[in-house]
Amino acid sequence: MPIGKNEKGLTLLERFIPDGLSHAATAFVESLKINSISEKLARGRPVVVKRRNIYGERAADLINFYFRLADIPIRFLSNVRDWRRWEAGCFQMLNGDRFRASVIDKQTVRLDKLPGQSLWDHMKQGTLAQRMLEAAGREYRHAHQFWRDEVGAPWSHADASTTNVIYDDKTNRARLIDFEIVHEKSWPATARHANDLLVFLVDMVETVPARQWLPFAISFLKTYADREVITELKGSLLSRKDSHWSGGMFVRISPRARR
């Protein structure tokens, strides 16, 4: 039986999210345009420019209303000022050793373009390798140790998909991008961190060949190496009821939804 499918032919994603919620959520979010993203050169440096569209705040509020109804514990940062501060601040916090982020006007942030490719692209190309999963595990462990005063707790991504992990083969370093979604503040850090791991792993289920998924997942978790968070992840998986994910814990937002 292929990894990720049960005896009824349901994927892991379909089993975790009640009644096809993931497909409905993705379709809904993709119908709304929140940010526009472009690439350009600024003083000879390649940069990514993210601009909140004119109706982006209202669209984000609509999405958040949907998430509350569906009991999904993540939120788009609908307030443009909060989003600008969080997007630039998280990028600088995680990547400021070599790269820069700045707010350039009321609607826009500018981020240095990171070298490399996303792990999503590597999956699609069939070039995903164990060293990349290990680099991602190291980066998430590193990122989860940062404290954020805004939430009064350690940081979490809340959209920890492979699209948001950029791997640079030259340095064997994975870096994180795309910070416009946050977890509910009421969630304890261990649960939020476990959710990040879950999102990352489930993202690979339907794309990575079955024979590779388990070794890749083990490499990622071994390198992450936080026993408390991994125990939380296991407990969450075991506590699902009637083969559905309790409380709508996970939903993957397509990268197209942010355009």
Side-chain angles (χ1 to χ4, degrees):
M1 184 170 62
I3 293 227
K5 290 199 174 186
N6 64 8
E7 66 278 0
K8 296 180 181 179
L10 296 176
T11 67
L12 187 61
L13 185 61
E14 290 166 335
R15 302 203 315 271
F16 283 171
I17 304 175
D19 302 324
L21 177 60
S22 64
H23 302 292
T26 298
F28 176 70
V29 172
E30 287 182 351
S31 70
L32 302 170
K33 306 298 181 184
I34 296 176
N35 293 330
S36 60
I37 302 175
S38 60
E39 296 183 10
K40 59 191 299 185
L41 288 176
R43 298 181 180 179
R45 296 169 67 93
V47 297
V48 175
V49 178
K50 298 182 71 172
R51 181 174 179 80
R52 179 61 57 90
N53 292 326
I54 188 169
Y55 297 113
E57 189 165 328
R58 293 182 182 179
D61 284 336
L62 273 174
I63 294 169
N64 288 338
F65 176 70
Y66 179 89
F67 285 164
R68 284 191 292 271
L69 287 179
D71 197 22
I72 299 171
I74 59 176
R75 301 290 179 264
F76 270 93
L77 288 166
S78 58
N79 180 277
V80 66
R81 181 178 296 179
D82 292 343
W83 162 68
R84 286 180 309 158
R85 185 185 301 117
W86 185 258
E87 182 86 45
C90 291
F91 186 95
Q92 197 69 34
M93 177 186 75
L94 298 174
N95 302 310
D97 57 322
R98 288 183 53 196
F99 305 99
R100 296 194 296 266
S102 58
V103 175
I104 59 176
D105 63 35
K106 292 181 179 180
Q107 303 290 122
T108 313
V109 296
R110 183 171 63 202
L111 318 161
D112 280 353
K113 184 178 180 181
L114 302 181
Q117 282 187 298
S118 73
L119 295 193
W120 175 260
D121 288 339
H122 278 291
M123 282 199 303
K124 289 297 187 180
Q125 296 163 8
T127 55
L128 191 66
Q130 183 172 322
R131 68 182 184 279
M132 301 176 188
L133 277 298
E134 292 170 350
R138 285 192 297 270
E139 189 64 14
Y140 271 113
R141 176 66 184 273
H142 171 70
H144 284 165
Q145 294 176 17
F146 281 97
W147 180 271
R148 295 298 298 193
D149 288 338
E150 296 93 331
V151 296
W155 181 89
S156 62
H157 195 295
D159 187 18
S161 69
T162 57
T163 57
N164 293 331
V165 182
I166 306 298
Y167 176 77
D168 182 4
D169 190 61
K170 292 182 179 179
T171 61
N172 190 32
R173 172 74 186 268
R175 292 180 181 271
L176 307 181
I177 61 169
D178 208 352
F179 312 107
E180 56 197 29
I181 296 176
V182 295
H183 283 112
E184 282 280 18
K185 291 182 180 181
S186 59
W187 250 23
T190 301
R192 291 186 284 106
H193 294 166
N195 182 244
D196 278 349
L197 303 189
L198 177 67
V199 170
F200 183 87
L201 292 173
V202 171
D203 212 26
M204 296 192 295
V205 168
E206 293 181 306
T207 305
V208 173
R211 68 183 183 279
Q212 292 181 317
W213 190 91
L214 187 57
F216 280 172
I218 290 172
S219 294
F220 174 71
L221 293 174
K222 277 188 173 181
T223 310
Y224 182 82
D226 186 313
R227 181 173 297 180
E228 184 179 0
V229 175
I230 293 172
T231 299
E232 176 76 18
L233 173 63
K234 291 178 180 178
S236 298
L237 290 168
L238 292 173
S239 68
R240 71 188 188 276
K241 185 178 181 181
D242 298 328
S243 298
H244 286 149
W245 189 251
S246 300
M249 184 177 179
F250 162 79
V251 62
R252 181 181 186 279
I253 305 301
S254 166
R256 290 175 294 171
R258 303 184 180 85
R259 301 301 187 264

